[in-house]
Amino acid sequence: MAIGKYSRVDNRRSSYCSTVTIVVFVALCLVGLWMMMTSSVVPVQNVDVPQEENNEVKEQITKKIKKEGNDELSNDKAMYSKDNGQFDDNPGDLPEDVTKGESSDSGSQNEEKQDENSKFQTQLKESLEEEIKPEDVENKNGVEESNSESETKNEGGDGDTTSQDESGEGSEEKKGDSDDNEKPNSEESEKNVEENESKIEEKVDPNDSNETSSDLDEKDQTMPKDQNQTEVFPSGAQSELLKETTTQNGAFSTQAAESKNEKASQQSTQVNWKLCNVTAGPDYIPCLDNMQAIKSLTSTKHYEHRERHCPEKPPTCLVSLPEGYKRSVEWPNSREKIWYYNVPHTKLAQVKGHQNWVKLTGEYLTFPGGGTQFKHGALHYIDFIQESVPDIAWGKQTRVILDVGCGVASFGGFLFDRGVLAMSLAPKDEHEAQVQFALERGIPAISAVMGTTRLPFPGQVFDAVHCARCRVPWHIEGGKLLLELNRVLRPGGLFVWSATPVYQKLDEDVQIWNEMSKLTKAMCWELISINKDTLNGVGVATYRKPTTNKCYKKRGTPEPPLCANSDDPNAAWYIPLRVCMHKVPTESEVRGSQWPEQWPERLEKTPYWLLSTQTGVYGKPAPEDFAADYKHWKRVVSKSYLTGIGIDWKTVRNVMDMRSVYGGFAAALKDLSIWVMNVVSVDAPDTLPIIYERGLFGIYHDWCESFSTYPRTYDLLHADHLFSKVKTKCKLEAVVAEVDRILRPEGKLIVRDDVETISQLERMLRSMQWEVRLTYSKDNEGLLCIQKSMWRPAESETLTYAIA
């Protein structure tokens, strides 16, 4: 019995072990099958599963993914944490309710938002795929800036990558399609790459927009539920590695080449940032605060000390913040008030307070809208000019003006209400911080002076020039300064002069008026109006520049003389002033012979003087080039910038396009309450006249020098393939320091460039504690959106040439 009993037990144990073995075997098979099927798919995290188990699963998946290679990573659209180099589902700094997962309460909400999120994600996907490189305006023949440089070519594979980092440390997820869809998508992508190489118009892979419901559920967990579309970042479904080394001499590079290039790149971007120790402190402008150069000047009677004197070696230190600095007041409230601690200067309020320039009111500096010539408000003064000279037609006939000696630029600030852009300029510290006040208020302005060199603008571009008691001695030295205005004023354009010689009878005023009358007559300017504003008690004289050369020929005495035919009126960068006048263009196909279309039609219309026989910047006939550029930027702005890169455009007012070509980026933003400073590099094709013809404005500049503006004056900087070109001519570290100087804390920088340059910039900017909001790459072209922080280094560097 005992033996039989124990035999039964043994049999039962044997049967039990067999069952366990089978169960374990089947389980292992299922696990293996599951792992194979999920090699390119990571399921949405189940909130019921402990985090520790999730981490174990993710580690297993990560190991497998790392073996697949770059092509599979491209199809999988993997996200990664740039700082720790590992795959992670860490949601970063997203709101708490986003990271909790789906609950019984949130499930229904996700279903309701399903359609909305699907539409947005599809739109974002298409925009990033389509807009990453302007192929519709790319020069296939190699025509580039100065006709000597070529656009960046695709050296890498044909995968596309994005990553999103909201906390500065990374917030990424791994996603992908199923094995069933992997091969068709790969074949479709290869087909599209071939089509992109043969066609100018950009195409989007239609399979990229096909997203499963599980993908959308996962996106719901990564998107803040209370954010509007301008603040939602691309989710993991469009995210992947950015910093892949490009291929060299074949499909794949060697590890040795990759490591060597990366080490060299890291060494070149490892910067020990320091704080600039300078006399100007938080208001430091390198090219205007070069005390060593200013002290060596032999004369200052022509305001040479207010002109640009750039140091031989551009500074690489960072400018300090004013104590108590806070985020700027948003437009339009900023037109009336700004934070005192952002521009802590009260001298102007003390000197000009009775003229309603600026007043100190608690924590704010307030601007009642007045000025020396319009104490009772700029709008009344603007309307008075319109009544006196109906032909000025603010916002239609007259769109772009130059305001000389602008003060705090209230005139330009209120012209926005009339559809007019005013380029305001005044010398630095002539009246304490006047240009800085203007920029903090959200009004266009630069620090410049009518001195010994030409203004950094082309000839014949401003519709009108305004001077309200600007204290410029127009009449002296043969009218040299007034002749500079004649150079930049469009034929038929107006000079509006509001100053004491117009309406006062003091001996000095009468003498100046008589001299100005002689000079303007000799210049063939017609005095079309002289009226007195009884409310403000000032007079305004308005002159018109001639549209033909008949008057010049009839002058008995050729003074001022006409400029030689070899004198280019568009040459402006460090060109000395001359006492001469340029002839008025008369040929019908020459710029300046006709007035542009009225605003806003002139924005989109191809300038009449762009001819099909001319080759545009991107290699096509000039009119086609112009139209393609505008089409491209409208698509980029509408499909990507306005909704897809996490920018709240309500907080953006002052914008700079650091490498503008035809002004397409600025034109695409015309419906927003912003203004764009279009910068055309001095070594790039001279397209700035086209920008003015469109009713926009801009300036010439060399980015190996500092810009003539105060620190912290722009909310957003846009750089399209600028840094890759600049770094071949000057130190990238200095250019990055200049970007940091002119961008406001919490301001955004958008960079479109080759992947190598994007990677360099990202490392540099991260070292300044900037927050990466979005990175994306495709075909060796990259997009970076990054936000400046309040961080300042503890260590300082003394710039001896900037010490008084």
Side-chain angles (χ1 to χ4, degrees):
M1 296 293 295
I3 295 175
K5 181 179 180 181
Y6 286 111
S7 297
R8 288 180 60 190
V9 170
D10 290 341
N11 290 337
R12 290 174 60 186
R13 285 182 177 176
S14 176
S15 175
Y16 177 77
C17 292
S18 299
T19 302
V20 170
T21 301
I22 294 172
V23 171
V24 170
F25 177 78
V26 171
L28 290 174
C29 291
L30 291 175
V31 169
L33 178 61
W34 175 82
M35 291 183 66
M36 290 177 64
M37 293 180 65
T38 58
S39 63
S40 61
V41 177
V42 179
V44 179
Q45 177 178 322
N46 189 340
V47 297
D48 296 330
V49 180
Q51 185 64 36
E52 293 81 0
E53 295 181 13
N54 280 336
N55 290 337
E56 292 177 1
V57 173
K58 284 181 288 183
E59 289 177 3
Q60 296 176 15
I61 298 172
T62 299
K63 292 178 181 179
K64 185 170 185 61
I65 290 174
K66 289 182 178 179
K67 297 178 181 179
E68 299 299 328
N70 293 338
D71 289 340
E72 185 169 344
L73 284 175
S74 177
N75 292 329
D76 291 346
K77 295 180 171 62
M79 297 187 73
Y80 79 118
S81 173
K82 298 187 187 69
D83 291 342
N84 59 28
Q86 297 177 353
F87 290 89
D88 194 0
D89 287 337
N90 176 21
D93 291 337
L94 291 177
E96 183 178 357
D97 60 336
V98 179
T99 64
K100 289 180 180 179
E102 295 183 358
S103 63
S104 59
D105 294 334
S106 63
S108 60
Q109 295 176 3
N110 285 339
E111 291 178 1
E112 293 174 358
K113 294 183 179 181
Q114 183 79 12
D115 293 338
E116 179 182 353
N117 288 336
S118 177
K119 292 179 181 178
F120 169 70
Q121 292 296 337
T122 301
Q123 179 190 42
L124 173 61
K125 174 72 176 183
E126 292 175 350
S127 67
L128 290 177
E129 290 282 356
E130 186 175 348
E131 310 309 341
I132 191 63
K133 187 168 68 174
E135 295 181 13
D136 57 339
V137 293
E138 184 181 6
N139 177 11
K140 300 297 181 180
N141 298 323
V143 178
E144 188 41 271
E145 295 191 357
S146 299
N147 295 324
S148 62
E149 299 180 40
S150 61
E151 291 287 353
T152 305
K153 304 281 180 155
N154 174 23
E155 297 176 349
D158 52 5
D160 57 82
T161 65
T162 65
S163 67
Q164 171 189 328
D165 190 335
E166 199 173 4
S167 65
E169 297 179 356
S171 174
E172 289 85 10
E173 279 189 58
K174 172 83 172 98
K175 292 188 178 180
D177 298 326
S178 67
D179 289 340
D180 294 336
N181 293 331
E182 183 174 346
K183 184 176 181 180
N185 285 344
S186 176
E187 294 175 353
E188 187 69 27
S189 298
E190 293 175 359
K191 180 180 179 181
N192 285 337
V193 170
E194 295 175 357
E195 290 177 354
N196 285 339
E197 292 176 351
S198 61
K199 297 182 180 180
I200 294 177
E201 185 66 22
E202 293 177 310
K203 302 295 182 183
V204 182
D205 184 354
N207 288 315
D208 288 342
S209 61
N210 296 334
E211 298 172 342
T212 65
S213 59
S214 61
D215 289 333
L216 293 172
D217 289 340
E218 189 169 359
K219 290 172 193 174
D220 282 352
Q221 295 186 25
T222 62
M223 290 167 52
K225 298 179 182 178
D226 56 350
Q227 277 187 313
N228 58 40
Q229 287 190 353
T230 62
E231 296 176 314
V232 176
F233 304 151
S235 71
Q238 289 89 31
S239 304
E240 198 198 291
L241 299 176
L242 168 67
K243 301 174 184 177
E244 293 293 334
T245 305
T246 57
T247 59
Q248 300 172 2
N249 301 322
F252 300 98
S253 175
T254 64
Q255 177 60 214
E258 291 174 351
S259 300
K260 180 179 179 180
N261 292 339
E262 180 64 16
K263 288 177 182 178
S265 178
Q266 289 187 2
Q267 290 175 358
S268 66
T269 54
Q270 291 176 351
V271 183
N272 181 24
W273 299 107
K274 298 181 180 180
L275 210 61
C276 296
N277 179 21
V278 293
T279 299
D283 300 335
Y284 177 52
I285 306 177
C287 289
L288 299 182
D289 290 318
N290 188 346
M291 302 301 177
Q292 185 177 14
I294 292 174
K295 290 176 182 178
S296 64
L297 293 173
T298 58
S299 173
T300 59
K301 68 177 183 178
H302 295 104
Y303 280 80
E304 291 92 340
H305 58 300
R306 302 298 187 199
E307 295 183 316
R308 291 172 60 86
H309 302 282
C310 298
E312 293 183 4
K313 183 180 180 181
T316 56
C317 53
L318 307 182
V319 177
S320 60
L321 293 177
E323 185 176 353
Y325 181 87
K326 59 180 66 177
R327 181 177 176 177
S328 300
V329 178
E330 294 180 9
W331 181 268
N333 294 330
S334 61
R335 185 167 57 182
E336 279 73 39
K337 64 179 182 180
I338 62 174
W339 293 111
Y340 162 73
Y341 287 107
N342 286 13
V343 191
H345 303 296
T346 58
K347 181 178 179 181
L348 197 59
Q350 297 168 3
V351 175
K352 297 292 186 179
H354 67 287
Q355 296 177 345
N356 282 341
W357 277 36
V358 56
K359 295 182 178 180
L360 181 61
T361 308
E363 290 186 298
Y364 296 98
L365 289 165
T366 58
F367 303 85
T372 304
Q373 298 299 96
F374 39 93
K375 295 186 289 292
H376 296 284
L379 279 177
H380 168 78
Y381 175 77
I382 291 168
D383 291 339
F384 170 74
I385 296 174
Q386 173 74 71
E387 294 171 0
S388 302
V389 188
D391 288 348
I392 204 165
W394 294 126
K396 294 182 180 180
Q397 179 80 355
T398 301
R399 163 65 180 173
V400 186
I401 75 165
L402 177 67
D403 186 17
V404 181
C406 61
V408 295
S410 289
F411 179 68
F414 283 92
L415 275 172
F416 280 106
D417 294 348
R418 301 293 184 265
V420 178
L421 282 179
M423 175 74 76
S424 301
L425 65 86
K428 182 182 181 184
D429 295 335
E430 183 62 21
H431 290 303
E432 187 184 41
Q434 55 185 337
V435 169
Q436 193 173 17
F437 282 138
L439 289 161
E440 184 69 17
R441 296 172 69 188
I443 303 172
I446 60 169
S447 291
V449 65
M450 300 289 296
T452 64
T453 60
R454 289 178 175 178
L455 297 173
F457 312 120
Q460 307 173 143
V461 291
F462 287 103
D463 302 332
V465 178
H466 174 258
C467 166
R469 203 173 183 179
C470 53
R471 296 186 178 278
V472 177
W474 303 114
H475 60 288
I476 67 172
E477 297 184 343
K480 182 183 293 187
L481 300 181
L482 196 62
L483 290 168
E484 172 62 3
L485 294 190
N486 187 75
R487 181 185 72 86
V488 300
L489 188 61
R490 189 183 301 279
L494 304 176
F495 174 56
V496 182
W497 189 35
S498 168
T500 54
V502 176
Y503 58 91
Q504 289 188 358
K505 300 302 180 183
L506 299 176
D507 291 343
E508 181 181 6
D509 291 323
V510 171
Q511 181 180 356
I512 294 175
W513 173 258
N514 291 335
E515 293 294 330
M516 280 288 287
S517 297
K518 293 178 182 178
L519 177 59
T520 54
K521 184 178 181 180
M523 293 170 58
C524 295
W525 282 15
E526 177 188 2
L527 179 61
I528 61 174
S529 173
I530 180 169
N531 290 287
K532 186 170 184 178
D533 178 5
T534 55
L535 178 62
N536 287 303
V538 301
V540 180
T542 305
Y543 300 84
R544 189 193 304 275
K545 179 180 176 179
T547 56
T548 69
N549 295 306
K550 294 179 180 179
C551 177
Y552 297 151
K553 298 176 181 179
K554 294 180 180 179
R555 294 182 304 165
T557 303
E559 293 292 339
L562 294 176
C563 298
N565 293 333
S566 59
D567 191 318
D568 185 357
N570 296 314
W573 192 243
Y574 292 123
I575 300 298
L577 294 179
R578 297 187 60 188
V579 181
C580 69
M581 295 184 300
H582 295 90
K583 292 181 179 179
V584 174
T586 56
E587 296 83 358
S588 60
E589 294 182 344
V590 176
R591 181 173 67 86
S593 61
Q594 302 177 32
W595 196 269
E597 296 284 336
Q598 289 194 344
W599 177 264
E601 287 78 12
R602 64 193 283 186
L603 180 72
E604 301 186 11
K605 186 176 178 61
T606 304
Y608 65 89
W609 41 270
L610 282 185
L611 308 178
S612 298
T613 55
Q614 300 170 322
T615 301
V617 173
Y618 300 108
K620 293 190 288 292
E624 296 179 23
D625 230 33
F626 174 89
D629 178 81
Y630 186 36
K631 177 182 177 182
H632 165 71
W633 286 113
K634 283 197 299 183
R635 188 171 58 244
V636 170
V637 169
S638 64
K639 290 190 175 182
S640 181
Y641 287 2
L642 294 183
T643 58
I645 60 177
I647 294 178
D648 183 0
W649 288 88
K650 297 190 300 294
T651 65
V652 177
R653 171 61 181 174
N654 303 356
V655 179
M656 177 186 287
D657 191 358
M658 299 178 69
R659 180 183 171 265
S660 183
V661 179
Y662 296 116
F665 170 67
L669 293 170
K670 72 178 182 66
D671 294 329
L672 301 183
S673 295
I674 65 172
W675 60 271
V676 181
M677 178 68 77
N678 293 282
V679 179
V680 173
S681 299
V682 295
D683 57 354
D686 187 5
T687 55
L688 194 51
I690 300 174
I691 292 171
Y692 277 91
E693 193 80 4
R694 304 183 72 171
L696 306 171
F697 62 20
I699 192 172
Y700 294 118
H701 185 59
D702 181 353
W703 282 113
C704 292
E705 301 178 0
S706 76
F707 195 79
S708 293
T709 190
Y710 281 86
R712 305 171 302 279
T713 51
Y714 284 88
D715 300 303
L716 186 144
L717 302 180
H718 181 262
D720 179 30
H721 290 81
L722 169 73
F723 293 100
S724 57
K725 302 178 188 305
V726 171
K727 71 180 183 180
T728 64
K729 300 178 295 182
C730 48
K731 198 172 183 180
L732 187 59
E733 179 183 353
V735 183
V736 170
E738 176 65 4
V739 166
D740 176 86
R741 188 185 72 85
I742 66 179
L743 188 62
R744 289 174 174 171
E746 298 187 5
K748 309 296 193 304
L749 169 66
I750 301 175
V751 182
R752 305 169 73 91
D753 221 310
D754 62 71
V755 172
E756 178 185 357
T757 302
I758 291 282
S759 185
Q760 285 182 275
L761 284 171
E762 184 179 346
R763 281 191 290 267
M764 280 191 179
L765 296 170
R766 278 183 179 275
S767 68
M768 292 191 291
Q769 310 297 320
W770 286 33
E771 178 183 341
V772 175
R773 309 303 294 273
L774 172 78
T775 57
Y776 182 86
S777 70
K778 179 181 180 181
D779 299 341
N780 201 39
E781 291 291 310
L783 171 66
L784 171 68
C785 181
I786 190 165
Q787 177 174 294
K788 179 180 174 180
S789 69
M790 290 275 191
W791 177 83
R792 296 290 90 179
E795 192 176 354
S796 64
E797 175 186 358
T798 300
L799 303 179
T800 56
Y801 59 80
I803 301 296

